[in-house]
Coordinates of all heavy atoms in Angstrom, one line a residue:
E353 N 69.7 32.2 14.5 CA 69.2 31.6 13.3 C 68.3 32.4 12.5 O 67.6 33.5 13.0 CB 68.3 30.4 13.8 CG 69.1 29.3 14.5 CD 68.8 29.3 16.1 OE1 68.2 30.3 16.5 OE2 69.4 28.6 16.8
E354 N 68.1 32.1 11.2 CA 67.2 32.9 10.3 C 65.8 32.4 10.8 O 65.5 31.4 11.4 CB 67.2 32.3 8.9 CG 68.5 32.7 8.1 CD 68.3 34.1 7.5 OE1 67.2 34.8 7.6 OE2 69.3 34.5 6.9
D355 N 64.8 33.5 10.7 CA 63.5 33.1 11.2 C 62.8 32.4 10.1 O 63.0 32.5 8.9 CB 62.7 34.4 11.6 CG 63.0 35.6 10.7 OD1 64.1 36.0 10.5 OD2 62.0 36.0 10.0
L356 N 61.8 31.6 10.5 CA 61.0 30.7 9.7 C 60.0 31.4 9.1 O 59.3 32.3 9.8 CB 60.6 29.6 10.5 CG 59.7 28.5 9.9 CD1 60.5 27.4 9.2 CD2 58.8 27.8 10.9
D357 N 59.5 31.2 7.8 CA 58.3 31.8 7.3 C 57.2 30.6 7.2 O 57.2 29.7 6.5 CB 58.5 32.3 5.8 CG 57.3 32.9 5.3 OD1 56.1 32.6 5.7 OD2 57.4 33.9 4.5
P358 N 56.3 30.6 8.2 CA 55.3 29.6 8.4 C 54.4 29.4 7.1 O 54.0 28.2 6.8 CB 54.4 30.1 9.7 CG 55.2 31.2 10.2 CD 56.1 31.7 9.3
L359 N 54.0 30.5 6.6 CA 53.1 30.4 5.4 C 53.9 29.7 4.1 O 53.2 28.7 3.5 CB 52.7 31.8 4.9 CG 51.9 32.5 6.0 CD1 51.5 33.9 5.5 CD2 50.6 31.7 6.4
E360 N 55.1 30.0 3.9 CA 55.9 29.3 2.9 C 56.1 27.8 3.3 O 56.0 26.9 2.4 CB 57.2 29.9 2.7 CG 57.1 31.0 1.8 CD 58.6 31.5 1.2 OE1 59.2 30.5 0.7 OE2 58.9 32.6 1.3
L361 N 56.3 27.5 4.6 CA 56.4 26.2 5.0 C 55.2 25.4 4.8 O 55.3 24.3 4.1 CB 56.8 26.2 6.6 CG 56.9 24.7 7.2 CD1 58.3 24.2 6.8 CD2 56.7 24.8 8.6
Y362 N 54.0 25.9 5.2 CA 52.8 25.1 4.9 C 52.5 24.8 3.5 O 52.0 23.7 3.1 CB 51.5 25.9 5.5 CG 51.6 26.3 6.9 CD1 51.0 27.6 7.4 CD2 52.2 25.5 7.9 CE1 51.1 27.9 8.8 CE2 52.3 25.9 9.2 CZ 51.7 27.2 9.7 OH 51.8 27.5 10.9
L363 N 52.9 25.8 2.6 CA 52.7 25.7 1.2 C 53.5 24.6 0.7 O 53.2 23.7 -0.1 CB 53.0 26.9 0.4 CG 51.9 28.0 0.3 CD1 52.5 29.4 -0.1 CD2 50.8 27.5 -0.6
T364 N 54.9 24.6 1.2 CA 55.9 23.7 0.6 C 55.4 22.2 1.2 O 55.7 21.2 0.4 CB 57.3 24.0 1.2 OG1 57.5 25.3 0.8 CG2 58.3 23.1 0.8
L365 N 55.0 22.1 2.3 CA 54.7 20.8 2.9 C 53.4 20.2 2.4 O 52.9 19.1 2.7 CB 54.6 20.8 4.4 CG 56.0 21.1 5.1 CD1 56.0 21.1 6.5 CD2 57.0 20.1 4.6
G366 N 52.6 21.0 1.8 CA 51.4 20.4 1.0 C 50.1 20.5 1.9 O 49.2 19.8 1.7
V367 N 50.1 21.5 2.7 CA 48.8 21.7 3.4 C 47.7 22.2 2.4 O 48.0 23.0 1.7 CB 49.0 22.9 4.5 CG1 47.7 23.1 5.3 CG2 49.9 22.4 5.6
S368 N 46.5 21.7 2.5 CA 45.5 21.9 1.4 C 44.6 23.2 1.6 O 43.9 23.7 0.8 CB 44.6 20.7 1.3 OG 43.9 20.4 2.4
F369 N 44.8 23.8 2.9 CA 44.1 25.0 3.1 C 44.9 25.9 4.0 O 45.2 25.6 5.1 CB 42.6 24.9 3.8 CG 41.9 26.2 3.9 CD1 41.0 26.6 3.1 CD2 42.2 26.9 5.1 CE1 40.3 27.8 3.3 CE2 41.5 28.1 5.3 CZ 40.5 28.5 4.4
I370 N 45.2 27.1 3.6 CA 46.0 28.1 4.4 C 45.4 29.4 4.3 O 45.2 30.0 3.2 CB 47.6 28.1 3.7 CG1 48.1 26.8 3.7 CG2 48.4 29.1 4.6 CD1 49.4 26.6 2.7
A371 N 45.3 29.9 5.6 CA 44.8 31.3 5.7 C 45.7 32.1 6.7 O 46.3 31.5 7.4 CB 43.4 31.4 6.1
S372 N 45.7 33.3 6.6 CA 46.4 34.2 7.5 C 45.7 35.3 8.1 O 44.9 36.0 7.4 CB 47.7 34.6 6.6 OG 48.3 35.7 7.3
G373 N 45.7 35.6 9.5 CA 44.8 36.6 10.1 C 45.6 37.2 11.1 O 46.8 37.0 11.4
F374 N 44.9 38.2 11.8 CA 45.4 39.0 12.9 C 44.4 38.9 14.1 O 43.1 39.1 13.8 CB 45.6 40.5 12.3 CG 45.9 41.4 13.4 CD1 46.9 41.1 14.4 CD2 45.4 42.8 13.4 CE1 47.2 42.1 15.4 CE2 45.7 43.6 14.3 CZ 46.6 43.4 15.3
S375 N 44.9 38.7 15.3 CA 44.1 38.7 16.4 C 43.3 40.0 16.7 O 42.2 39.9 17.4 CB 45.0 38.3 17.6 OG 45.8 39.5 18.0
G376 N 43.7 41.0 16.2 CA 43.0 42.3 16.4 C 41.9 42.5 15.6 O 41.1 43.5 15.6
Q377 N 41.5 41.4 14.7 CA 40.3 41.5 13.9 C 39.5 40.2 14.0 O 39.4 39.4 13.1 CB 40.8 41.6 12.3 CG 41.5 42.8 12.0 CD 41.9 42.7 10.4 OE1 42.3 41.6 10.0 NE2 41.6 43.8 9.7
P378 N 38.9 40.1 15.3 CA 38.5 38.8 15.6 C 37.2 38.4 14.6 O 37.0 37.1 14.4 CB 37.8 38.9 17.0 CG 37.9 40.4 17.3 CD 38.8 40.9 16.4
R379 N 36.3 39.3 14.2 CA 35.2 39.0 13.2 C 35.8 38.4 11.9 O 35.3 37.5 11.4 CB 34.4 40.2 12.9 CG 33.6 40.7 13.9 CD 32.2 40.0 14.1 NE 31.5 40.4 15.3 CZ 30.5 39.8 15.8 NH1 30.1 38.5 15.2 NH2 29.9 40.1 16.8
V380 N 36.9 39.0 11.3 CA 37.5 38.7 10.0 C 38.2 37.2 10.3 O 38.0 36.3 9.6 CB 38.7 39.6 9.6 CG1 39.3 39.1 8.5 CG2 38.0 41.0 9.3
L381 N 38.8 37.1 11.5 CA 39.5 35.8 11.9 C 38.5 34.7 12.0 O 38.7 33.6 11.6 CB 40.2 36.0 13.0 CG 41.1 35.0 13.6 CD1 42.1 34.5 12.5 CD2 41.9 35.4 14.9
A382 N 37.3 35.0 12.5 CA 36.2 34.0 12.6 C 35.8 33.5 11.3 O 35.6 32.2 11.1 CB 35.1 34.5 13.5

Side-chain angles (χ1 to χ4, degrees):
E353 299 102 356
E354 288 278 359
D355 42 299
L356 178 85
D357 184 329
L359 299 174
E360 276 201 50
L361 179 78
Y362 304 146
L363 277 168
T364 304
L365 295 183
V367 176
S368 61
F369 179 97
I370 303 165
S372 163
F374 173 44
S375 64
Q377 297 179 313
R379 291 267 176 205
V380 176
L381 188 54

